[in-house]
Amino acid sequence: MSERPRLTVLSGPSGVGKSTVVAHMRKEHPEVWLSVSATTRKPRPGEQHGVHYFFVTDEEMDKLIANGELLEWAEFAGNRYGTPRAAVLERLENGEPVLLEIDLQGARQVRESMSDAQLVFLAPPSWEELVRRLTGRGTEPPEVIERRLAAARTELAAEPEFHTTLVNTSVEDVARELLALMDVV
Ligand code: ADP
Ligand code: 5GP
């Protein structure tokens, strides 16, 4: 166990399985605190305000940014996403392990502002499998999938910027590896 839990950032292309891995991990280890982001994206079926995201209007997002309330934020595939700063800092001060599930642009901002953050990249077993997962999830229309796949090419190329890469072949294995990296087990 390290002395002070670090902030861990999990990034990787849309559809690689970040949410699935994190949900699996938190089922067994609810003490791992996952930051709830603000987003201007509309909720998918089953997504709840305050649980999966804080769903905000463009005007509300403008205010969060202008007031400096976000630790980082980025525009991704046509919507804005950001991490509320206060909740993250509070958890870290309490010594709780903190996880952010954010995109590449956000990971880069955190790397600059929180120098001891640990950056973890979740990679797909192959490009074909990534396309299969993103398409198979069935939550986005074809033009949005295209935008997300274009972003995925950039994200995959940035893998060397991260401290660690985990390949999401098995959700159970990756969840276990992530917990170990976070010093939770
Ligand atoms: P992300 O949060 O990275 O956008 P999701 O967690 O929504 O991705 O996963 C995208 C799709 O891939 C979902 O349908 C999910 O069930 C599936 N999936 C996730 N991990 C795996 C895995 N290891 N093997 C097969 N399918 C997976
Ligand atoms: P989705 O719309 O699929 O939930 O998320 C799209 C992308 O936005 C994913 O790569 C996800 O990790 C990222 N994301 C979610 N929340 C944040 C955030 O607060 N900041 C940043 N920079 N990216 C985020």
Side-chain angles (χ1 to χ4, degrees):
M1 194 87 181
S2 62
E3 294 195 355
R4 189 161 69 88
R6 281 198 297 176
L7 175 64
T8 302
V9 173
L10 182 67
S11 287
S14 181
V16 72
K18 299 180 295 297
S19 307
T20 306
V21 165
V22 169
H24 184 82
M25 187 179 94
R26 293 185 72 232
K27 212 165 50 185
E28 319 240 311
H29 290 275
E31 74 273 22
V32 176
W33 186 75
L34 175 71
S35 162
V36 179
S37 299
T39 183
T40 57
R41 164 166 85 60
K42 299 283 167 277
R44 294 181 185 133
E47 283 185 332
Q48 290 167 266
H49 183 78
V51 177
H52 300 91
Y53 280 107
F54 296 108
F55 295 99
V56 299
T57 61
D58 266 318
E59 293 71 27
E60 286 168 332
M61 184 62 93
D62 287 343
K63 269 197 208 137
L64 289 173
I65 295 168
N67 294 341
E69 289 182 52
L70 302 180
L71 181 64
E72 60 73 36
W73 71 273
E75 179 154 352
F76 180 89
N79 293 297
R80 284 182 292 170
Y81 299 79
T83 304
R85 183 196 302 276
V88 168
L89 297 185
E90 198 180 300
R91 292 309 199 288
L92 285 174
E93 272 161 27
N94 286 346
E96 295 173 44
V98 167
L99 183 63
L100 305 186
E101 191 217 299
I102 60 177
D103 87 322
L104 170 65
Q105 306 164 77
R108 285 174 172 158
Q109 292 172 47
V110 172
R111 186 182 60 199
E112 295 306 313
S113 62
M114 316 272 285
S115 56
D116 63 348
Q118 151 165 256
L119 270 55
V120 180
F121 188 80
L122 192 62
S126 66
W127 176 258
E128 290 70 28
E129 177 62 15
L130 178 67
V131 176
R132 221 175 354 255
R133 286 184 192 173
L134 188 54
T135 313
R137 187 167 69 188
T139 49
E140 275 87 19
E143 67 273 17
V144 176
I145 290 182
E146 280 312 313
R147 249 187 285 163
R148 285 175 177 246
L149 286 174
R153 291 198 183 277
T154 308
E155 300 221 311
L156 288 171
E159 187 209 313
E161 294 180 33
F162 288 74
H163 298 118
T164 311
T165 294
L166 302 176
V167 178
N168 183 17
T169 305
S170 148
V171 172
E172 291 74 19
D173 288 353
V174 173
R176 205 176 315 114
E177 288 161 358
L178 191 56
L179 283 166
L181 286 172
M182 294 184 75
D183 282 337
V184 175
V185 286

